[in-house]
Amino acid sequence: MDEEPLKDWAERRDRRIGRLRAVHAVTGEGPRGTHVDPEAPRVIERWNGYAWEPHLFAASLAEAKAVLYPQPEEPPSGQPGPESGPLRPGRGRHRKPRAGETDG
């Protein structure tokens, strides 16, 4: 039987530390999908390497998603962003020849 070395397992476990998940705050009939009852409160849990522990409280699914998936900050409007211009003229192998042109 091929067993994973303890060092590799510990590194894999440590990479997951700090991972967040949202679960329903009120349990009833067992685990439920996140899409069920989007207005119900959620508990944001954090993985500590051994177990999920309560981390934050969210009033709804929308608030929980805002915590789990934060929007990237936009650069200030005064700063120029990366420029994307039209393709330059050329005959790269990925370009189709123009009408009337031949490859050669």
Side-chain angles (χ1 to χ4, degrees), residues 11-87:
E11 287 174 1
R12 190 167 39 93
R13 183 198 66 201
D14 290 345
R15 279 195 308 258
R16 295 181 183 149
I17 291 176
R19 181 178 287 176
L20 300 175
R21 74 175 183 182
V23 295
H24 283 85
V26 180
T27 59
E29 302 169 3
R32 300 163 63 181
T34 58
H35 65 283
V36 176
D37 199 8
E39 298 303 317
R42 303 289 201 268
V43 174
I44 308 293
E45 295 179 334
R46 182 179 177 270
W47 181 250
N48 67 10
Y50 302 98
W52 290 99
E53 60 187 13
H55 182 64
L56 295 170
F57 180 78
S60 66
L61 178 60
E63 285 185 25
K65 284 185 175 184
V67 171
L68 296 176
Y69 312 109
Q71 296 295 322
E73 293 182 23
E74 294 183 19
S77 60
Q79 299 285 338
E83 295 182 24
S84 61
L87 293 176

